[in-house]
PDB file of all heavy atoms in Angstrom:
ATOM      1  N   LEU A   1    -128.604 100.074  86.510  1.00  0.00           N
ATOM      2  CA  LEU A   1    -127.759 101.050  85.902  1.00  0.00           C
ATOM      3  C   LEU A   1    -128.585 102.290  85.335  1.00  0.00           C
ATOM      4  O   LEU A   1    -128.074 103.399  85.186  1.00  0.00           O
ATOM      5  CB  LEU A   1    -126.954 100.479  84.700  1.00  0.00           C
ATOM      6  CG  LEU A   1    -125.817  99.619  85.107  1.00  0.00           C
ATOM      7  CD1 LEU A   1    -125.236  98.889  83.897  1.00  0.00           C
ATOM      8  CD2 LEU A   1    -124.709 100.441  85.785  1.00  0.00           C
ATOM      9  N   SER A   2    -129.928 102.112  85.124  1.00  0.00           N
ATOM     10  CA  SER A   2    -130.723 103.176  84.684  1.00  0.00           C
ATOM     11  C   SER A   2    -130.908 104.211  85.776  1.00  0.00           C
ATOM     12  O   SER A   2    -131.266 105.341  85.423  1.00  0.00           O
ATOM     13  CB  SER A   2    -132.160 102.614  84.221  1.00  0.00           C
ATOM     14  OG  SER A   2    -132.934 102.261  85.330  1.00  0.00           O
ATOM     15  N   GLY A   3    -130.821 103.837  87.012  1.00  0.00           N
ATOM     16  CA  GLY A   3    -131.068 104.751  88.106  1.00  0.00           C
ATOM     17  C   GLY A   3    -132.505 105.113  88.275  1.00  0.00           C
ATOM     18  O   GLY A   3    -132.749 106.137  89.014  1.00  0.00           O
ATOM     19  N   VAL A   4    -133.395 104.362  87.671  1.00  0.00           N
ATOM     20  CA  VAL A   4    -134.838 104.694  87.835  1.00  0.00           C
ATOM     21  C   VAL A   4    -135.557 103.661  88.719  1.00  0.00           C
ATOM     22  O   VAL A   4    -135.243 102.348  88.642  1.00  0.00           O
ATOM     23  CB  VAL A   4    -135.456 104.607  86.448  1.00  0.00           C
ATOM     24  CG1 VAL A   4    -136.999 104.867  86.532  1.00  0.00           C
ATOM     25  CG2 VAL A   4    -134.837 105.677  85.517  1.00  0.00           C
ATOM     26  N   ASP A   5    -136.407 104.053  89.616  1.00  0.00           N
ATOM     27  CA  ASP A   5    -137.132 103.096  90.520  1.00  0.00           C
ATOM     28  C   ASP A   5    -137.885 102.028  89.720  1.00  0.00           C
ATOM     29  O   ASP A   5    -137.859 100.858  90.030  1.00  0.00           O
ATOM     30  CB  ASP A   5    -137.999 103.826  91.391  1.00  0.00           C
ATOM     31  CG  ASP A   5    -137.203 104.691  92.493  1.00  0.00           C
ATOM     32  OD1 ASP A   5    -136.053 104.293  92.864  1.00  0.00           O
ATOM     33  OD2 ASP A   5    -137.745 105.569  93.020  1.00  0.00           O
ATOM     34  N   LYS A   6    -138.696 102.496  88.754  1.00  0.00           N
ATOM     35  CA  LYS A   6    -139.468 101.519  87.966  1.00  0.00           C
ATOM     36  C   LYS A   6    -139.084 101.736  86.504  1.00  0.00           C
ATOM     37  O   LYS A   6    -139.885 102.362  85.735  1.00  0.00           O
ATOM     38  CB  LYS A   6    -140.948 101.797  88.201  1.00  0.00           C
ATOM     39  CG  LYS A   6    -141.553 101.316  89.434  1.00  0.00           C
ATOM     40  CD  LYS A   6    -141.565  99.787  89.527  1.00  0.00           C
ATOM     41  CE  LYS A   6    -142.191  99.228  90.779  1.00  0.00           C
ATOM     42  NZ  LYS A   6    -142.237  97.719  90.797  1.00  0.00           N
ATOM     43  N   PRO A   7    -137.959 101.186  86.088  1.00  0.00           N
ATOM     44  CA  PRO A   7    -137.441 101.431  84.730  1.00  0.00           C
ATOM     45  C   PRO A   7    -138.359 100.793  83.654  1.00  0.00           C
ATOM     46  O   PRO A   7    -138.948  99.706  83.907  1.00  0.00           O
ATOM     47  CB  PRO A   7    -136.140 100.758  84.689  1.00  0.00           C
ATOM     48  CG  PRO A   7    -136.135  99.765  85.833  1.00  0.00           C
ATOM     49  CD  PRO A   7    -137.055 100.283  86.824  1.00  0.00           C
ATOM     50  N   GLN A   8    -138.484 101.447  82.576  1.00  0.00           N
ATOM     51  CA  GLN A   8    -139.259 100.993  81.444  1.00  0.00           C
ATOM     52  C   GLN A   8    -138.250 100.163  80.588  1.00  0.00           C
ATOM     53  O   GLN A   8    -137.302 100.757  79.998  1.00  0.00           O
ATOM     54  CB  GLN A   8    -139.806 102.161  80.535  1.00  0.00           C
ATOM     55  CG  GLN A   8    -140.697 102.983  81.363  1.00  0.00           C
ATOM     56  CD  GLN A   8    -142.072 102.245  81.820  1.00  0.00           C
ATOM     57  OE1 GLN A   8    -142.627 101.655  80.833  1.00  0.00           O
ATOM     58  NE2 GLN A   8    -142.456 102.272  83.021  1.00  0.00           N
ATOM     59  N   LEU A   9    -138.535  98.868  80.349  1.00  0.00           N
ATOM     60  CA  LEU A   9    -137.696  97.938  79.714  1.00  0.00           C
ATOM     61  C   LEU A   9    -138.205  97.620  78.289  1.00  0.00           C
ATOM     62  O   LEU A   9    -139.422  97.283  78.116  1.00  0.00           O
ATOM     63  CB  LEU A   9    -137.463  96.721  80.491  1.00  0.00           C
ATOM     64  CG  LEU A   9    -136.613  95.652  79.871  1.00  0.00           C
ATOM     65  CD1 LEU A   9    -135.268  95.969  79.550  1.00  0.00           C
ATOM     66  CD2 LEU A   9    -136.644  94.303  80.725  1.00  0.00           C
ATOM     67  N   LEU A  10    -137.409  97.689  77.289  1.00  0.00           N
ATOM     68  CA  LEU A  10    -137.703  97.386  75.955  1.00  0.00           C
ATOM     69  C   LEU A  10    -137.004  96.155  75.526  1.00  0.00           C
ATOM     70  O   LEU A  10    -135.735  96.228  75.549  1.00  0.00           O
ATOM     71  CB  LEU A  10    -137.443  98.575  75.039  1.00  0.00           C
ATOM     72  CG  LEU A  10    -137.866  98.399  73.498  1.00  0.00           C
ATOM     73  CD1 LEU A  10    -139.328  98.243  73.367  1.00  0.00           C
ATOM     74  CD2 LEU A  10    -137.391  99.521  72.717  1.00  0.00           C
ATOM     75  N   TYR A  11    -137.622  95.116  75.050  1.00  0.00           N
ATOM     76  CA  TYR A  11    -136.890  93.902  74.592  1.00  0.00           C
ATOM     77  C   TYR A  11    -136.906  93.956  73.137  1.00  0.00           C
ATOM     78  O   TYR A  11    -137.918  94.163  72.414  1.00  0.00           O
ATOM     79  CB  TYR A  11    -137.596  92.706  75.096  1.00  0.00           C
ATOM     80  CG  TYR A  11    -137.028  91.407  74.510  1.00  0.00           C
ATOM     81  CD1 TYR A  11    -135.666  90.934  74.806  1.00  0.00           C
ATOM     82  CD2 TYR A  11    -137.723  90.600  73.617  1.00  0.00           C
ATOM     83  CE1 TYR A  11    -135.193  89.891  74.239  1.00  0.00           C
ATOM     84  CE2 TYR A  11    -137.233  89.474  73.051  1.00  0.00           C
ATOM     85  CZ  TYR A  11    -135.970  89.096  73.284  1.00  0.00           C
ATOM     86  OH  TYR A  11    -135.419  87.939  72.738  1.00  0.00           O
ATOM     87  N   VAL A  12    -135.712  93.723  72.486  1.00  0.00           N
ATOM     88  CA  VAL A  12    -135.562  93.640  71.094  1.00  0.00           C
ATOM     89  C   VAL A  12    -135.086  92.337  70.626  1.00  0.00           C
ATOM     90  O   VAL A  12    -133.973  91.870  70.931  1.00  0.00           O
ATOM     91  CB  VAL A  12    -134.533  94.723  70.640  1.00  0.00           C
ATOM     92  CG1 VAL A  12    -134.314  94.729  69.082  1.00  0.00           C
ATOM     93  CG2 VAL A  12    -134.865  96.118  71.139  1.00  0.00           C
ATOM     94  N   GLY A  13    -135.995  91.613  69.944  1.00  0.00           N
ATOM     95  CA  GLY A  13    -135.685  90.203  69.502  1.00  0.00           C
ATOM     96  C   GLY A  13    -135.401  90.052  68.070  1.00  0.00           C
ATOM     97  O   GLY A  13    -135.621  88.880  67.494  1.00  0.00           O
ATOM     98  N   THR A  14    -134.918  91.094  67.424  1.00  0.00           N
ATOM     99  CA  THR A  14    -134.554  91.021  65.980  1.00  0.00           C
ATOM    100  C   THR A  14    -133.708  89.807  65.576  1.00  0.00           C
ATOM    101  O   THR A  14    -133.901  89.246  64.566  1.00  0.00           O
ATOM    102  CB  THR A  14    -133.941  92.294  65.486  1.00  0.00           C
ATOM    103  OG1 THR A  14    -134.553  93.420  66.071  1.00  0.00           O
ATOM    104  CG2 THR A  14    -133.870  92.387  63.940  1.00  0.00           C
ATOM    105  N   ALA A  15    -132.753  89.484  66.409  1.00  0.00           N
ATOM    106  CA  ALA A  15    -131.701  88.518  66.132  1.00  0.00           C
ATOM    107  C   ALA A  15    -132.393  87.117  65.992  1.00  0.00           C
ATOM    108  O   ALA A  15    -131.819  86.183  65.385  1.00  0.00           O
ATOM    109  CB  ALA A  15    -130.636  88.444  67.126  1.00  0.00           C
ATOM    110  N   MET A  16    -133.587  86.897  66.667  1.00  0.00           N
ATOM    111  CA  MET A  16    -134.323  85.628  66.478  1.00  0.00           C
ATOM    112  C   MET A  16    -135.580  85.831  65.531  1.00  0.00           C
ATOM    113  O   MET A  16    -136.480  85.095  65.710  1.00  0.00           O
ATOM    114  CB  MET A  16    -134.678  85.135  67.855  1.00  0.00           C
ATOM    115  CG  MET A  16    -133.498  84.533  68.624  1.00  0.00           C
ATOM    116  SD  MET A  16    -132.668  83.143  67.868  1.00  0.00           S
ATOM    117  CE  MET A  16    -133.965  81.871  68.079  1.00  0.00           C
ATOM    118  N   GLY A  17    -135.572  86.810  64.753  1.00  0.00           N
ATOM    119  CA  GLY A  17    -136.612  87.070  63.848  1.00  0.00           C
ATOM    120  C   GLY A  17    -137.933  87.475  64.546  1.00  0.00           C
ATOM    121  O   GLY A  17    -138.969  87.187  64.092  1.00  0.00           O
ATOM    122  N   ASP A  18    -137.846  88.183  65.749  1.00  0.00           N
ATOM    123  CA  ASP A  18    -138.990  88.515  66.480  1.00  0.00           C
ATOM    124  C   ASP A  18    -139.885  87.316  66.758  1.00  0.00           C
ATOM    125  O   ASP A  18    -141.098  87.443  66.813  1.00  0.00           O
ATOM    126  CB  ASP A  18    -139.836  89.623  65.767  1.00  0.00           C
ATOM    127  CG  ASP A  18    -139.018  90.994  65.662  1.00  0.00           C
ATOM    128  OD1 ASP A  18    -138.055  91.129  66.479  1.00  0.00           O
ATOM    129  OD2 ASP A  18    -139.343  91.738  64.824  1.00  0.00           O
ATOM    130  N   GLU A  19    -139.325  86.158  67.081  1.00  0.00           N
ATOM    131  CA  GLU A  19    -140.050  84.933  67.338  1.00  0.00           C
ATOM    132  C   GLU A  19    -140.996  85.259  68.518  1.00  0.00           C
ATOM    133  O   GLU A  19    -140.544  85.717  69.621  1.00  0.00           O
ATOM    134  CB  GLU A  19    -139.147  83.772  67.657  1.00  0.00           C
ATOM    135  CG  GLU A  19    -139.740  82.412  67.507  1.00  0.00           C
ATOM    136  CD  GLU A  19    -140.415  82.087  68.777  1.00  0.00           C
ATOM    137  OE1 GLU A  19    -139.791  82.370  69.899  1.00  0.00           O
ATOM    138  OE2 GLU A  19    -141.452  81.457  68.797  1.00  0.00           O
ATOM    139  N   ALA A  20    -142.293  85.006  68.307  1.00  0.00           N
ATOM    140  CA  ALA A  20    -143.299  85.371  69.384  1.00  0.00           C
ATOM    141  C   ALA A  20    -142.999  84.824  70.707  1.00  0.00           C
ATOM    142  O   ALA A  20    -143.320  85.333  71.787  1.00  0.00           O
ATOM    143  CB  ALA A  20    -144.668  84.988  68.816  1.00  0.00           C
ATOM    144  N   GLY A  21    -142.518  83.493  70.717  1.00  0.00           N
ATOM    145  CA  GLY A  21    -142.312  82.871  72.009  1.00  0.00           C
ATOM    146  C   GLY A  21    -141.222  83.547  72.886  1.00  0.00           C
ATOM    147  O   GLY A  21    -141.472  83.577  74.130  1.00  0.00           O
ATOM    148  N   HIS A  22    -140.260  84.123  72.267  1.00  0.00           N
ATOM    149  CA  HIS A  22    -139.255  84.742  73.006  1.00  0.00           C
ATOM    150  C   HIS A  22    -139.806  86.008  73.613  1.00  0.00           C
ATOM    151  O   HIS A  22    -139.453  86.278  74.757  1.00  0.00           O
ATOM    152  CB  HIS A  22    -138.030  85.096  72.093  1.00  0.00           C
ATOM    153  CG  HIS A  22    -137.160  83.894  71.723  1.00  0.00           C
ATOM    154  ND1 HIS A  22    -136.227  83.433  72.476  1.00  0.00           N
ATOM    155  CD2 HIS A  22    -137.098  83.169  70.593  1.00  0.00           C
ATOM    156  CE1 HIS A  22    -135.633  82.391  72.010  1.00  0.00           C
ATOM    157  NE2 HIS A  22    -136.192  82.210  70.812  1.00  0.00           N
ATOM    158  N   GLY A  23    -140.515  86.753  72.892  1.00  0.00           N
ATOM    159  CA  GLY A  23    -141.157  87.948  73.403  1.00  0.00           C
ATOM    160  C   GLY A  23    -142.002  87.668  74.528  1.00  0.00           C
ATOM    161  O   GLY A  23    -142.036  88.403  75.576  1.00  0.00           O
ATOM    162  N   LEU A  24    -142.913  86.611  74.451  1.00  0.00           N
ATOM    163  CA  LEU A  24    -143.770  86.248  75.539  1.00  0.00           C
ATOM    164  C   LEU A  24    -143.070  85.832  76.726  1.00  0.00           C
ATOM    165  O   LEU A  24    -143.531  86.193  77.901  1.00  0.00           O
ATOM    166  CB  LEU A  24    -144.673  85.129  75.046  1.00  0.00           C
ATOM    167  CG  LEU A  24    -145.714  84.546  76.034  1.00  0.00           C
ATOM    168  CD1 LEU A  24    -146.686  85.571  76.494  1.00  0.00           C
ATOM    169  CD2 LEU A  24    -146.505  83.352  75.480  1.00  0.00           C
ATOM    170  N   ARG A  25    -141.929  85.004  76.587  1.00  0.00           N
ATOM    171  CA  ARG A  25    -141.317  84.669  77.751  1.00  0.00           C
ATOM    172  C   ARG A  25    -140.658  85.822  78.461  1.00  0.00           C
ATOM    173  O   ARG A  25    -140.531  85.857  79.731  1.00  0.00           O
ATOM    174  CB  ARG A  25    -140.133  83.649  77.323  1.00  0.00           C
ATOM    175  CG  ARG A  25    -140.724  82.230  76.980  1.00  0.00           C
ATOM    176  CD  ARG A  25    -139.683  81.264  76.826  1.00  0.00           C
ATOM    177  NE  ARG A  25    -139.049  81.267  75.544  1.00  0.00           N
ATOM    178  CZ  ARG A  25    -139.431  80.826  74.454  1.00  0.00           C
ATOM    179  NH1 ARG A  25    -140.546  80.086  74.344  1.00  0.00           N
ATOM    180  NH2 ARG A  25    -138.759  80.948  73.292  1.00  0.00           N
ATOM    181  N   MET A  26    -140.172  86.776  77.758  1.00  0.00           N
ATOM    182  CA  MET A  26    -139.690  88.038  78.418  1.00  0.00           C
ATOM    183  C   MET A  26    -140.784  88.764  79.160  1.00  0.00           C
ATOM    184  O   MET A  26    -140.468  89.301  80.199  1.00  0.00           O
ATOM    185  CB  MET A  26    -138.969  88.865  77.304  1.00  0.00           C
ATOM    186  CG  MET A  26    -137.600  88.337  76.849  1.00  0.00           C
ATOM    187  SD  MET A  26    -136.329  88.183  78.114  1.00  0.00           S
ATOM    188  CE  MET A  26    -136.025  90.003  78.399  1.00  0.00           C
ATOM    189  N   ILE A  27    -141.856  88.911  78.528  1.00  0.00           N
ATOM    190  CA  ILE A  27    -143.030  89.594  79.248  1.00  0.00           C
ATOM    191  C   ILE A  27    -143.356  88.845  80.473  1.00  0.00           C
ATOM    192  O   ILE A  27    -143.546  89.527  81.533  1.00  0.00           O
ATOM    193  CB  ILE A  27    -144.242  89.684  78.210  1.00  0.00           C
ATOM    194  CG1 ILE A  27    -143.965  90.667  77.117  1.00  0.00           C
ATOM    195  CG2 ILE A  27    -145.506  90.029  79.001  1.00  0.00           C
ATOM    196  CD1 ILE A  27    -144.960  90.642  75.996  1.00  0.00           C
ATOM    197  N   GLU A  28    -143.434  87.541  80.508  1.00  0.00           N
ATOM    198  CA  GLU A  28    -143.675  86.751  81.728  1.00  0.00           C
ATOM    199  C   GLU A  28    -142.650  86.943  82.753  1.00  0.00           C
ATOM    200  O   GLU A  28    -142.916  87.007  83.894  1.00  0.00           O
ATOM    201  CB  GLU A  28    -143.863  85.239  81.255  1.00  0.00           C
ATOM    202  CG  GLU A  28    -145.121  85.045  80.527  1.00  0.00           C
ATOM    203  CD  GLU A  28    -145.263  83.604  80.116  1.00  0.00           C
ATOM    204  OE1 GLU A  28    -144.190  82.899  80.069  1.00  0.00           O
ATOM    205  OE2 GLU A  28    -146.310  83.108  79.718  1.00  0.00           O
ATOM    206  N   ALA A  29    -141.387  86.922  82.283  1.00  0.00           N
ATOM    207  CA  ALA A  29    -140.233  87.155  83.229  1.00  0.00           C
ATOM    208  C   ALA A  29    -140.282  88.548  83.876  1.00  0.00           C
ATOM    209  O   ALA A  29    -140.115  88.606  85.009  1.00  0.00           O
ATOM    210  CB  ALA A  29    -138.918  86.997  82.537  1.00  0.00           C
ATOM    211  N   GLY A  30    -140.707  89.430  83.032  1.00  0.00           N
ATOM    212  CA  GLY A  30    -140.880  90.798  83.612  1.00  0.00           C
ATOM    213  C   GLY A  30    -141.962  90.893  84.654  1.00  0.00           C
ATOM    214  O   GLY A  30    -141.834  91.550  85.639  1.00  0.00           O
ATOM    215  N   GLN A  31    -143.055  90.223  84.325  1.00  0.00           N
ATOM    216  CA  GLN A  31    -144.207  90.230  85.307  1.00  0.00           C
ATOM    217  C   GLN A  31    -143.807  89.641  86.643  1.00  0.00           C
ATOM    218  O   GLN A  31    -144.083  90.126  87.656  1.00  0.00           O
ATOM    219  CB  GLN A  31    -145.374  89.448  84.772  1.00  0.00           C
ATOM    220  CG  GLN A  31    -146.060  90.065  83.514  1.00  0.00           C
ATOM    221  CD  GLN A  31    -147.135  89.299  82.906  1.00  0.00           C
ATOM    222  OE1 GLN A  31    -147.111  88.101  83.005  1.00  0.00           O
ATOM    223  NE2 GLN A  31    -147.979  89.824  82.134  1.00  0.00           N
ATOM    224  N   GLU A  32    -142.987  88.561  86.597  1.00  0.00           N
ATOM    225  CA  GLU A  32    -142.541  87.895  87.813  1.00  0.00           C
ATOM    226  C   GLU A  32    -141.607  88.864  88.583  1.00  0.00           C
ATOM    227  O   GLU A  32    -141.503  88.758  89.793  1.00  0.00           O
ATOM    228  CB  GLU A  32    -141.797  86.599  87.378  1.00  0.00           C
ATOM    229  CG  GLU A  32    -141.396  85.732  88.574  1.00  0.00           C
ATOM    230  CD  GLU A  32    -142.508  84.964  89.255  1.00  0.00           C
ATOM    231  OE1 GLU A  32    -143.694  85.118  88.702  1.00  0.00           O
ATOM    232  OE2 GLU A  32    -142.412  84.463  90.231  1.00  0.00           O
TER     233      GLU A  32
END
């Protein structure tokens, strides 16, 4: 929906207290 070839994605984990594991899993999923 962004219409961008290589979109810049920002993950916001406030609802889980910025728990580090959630952020890491999102980064790994993005790498994949």
Side-chain angles (χ1 to χ4, degrees):
L1 286 169
S2 72
V4 176
D5 288 338
K6 285 289 185 181
Q8 299 294 310
L9 176 63
L10 183 64
Y11 173 67
V12 182
T14 317
M16 289 296 289
D18 291 339
E19 198 273 321
H22 286 278
L24 178 59
R25 287 189 284 275
M26 287 296 292
I27 290 172
E28 291 176 339
Q31 290 173 341
E32 190 73 10

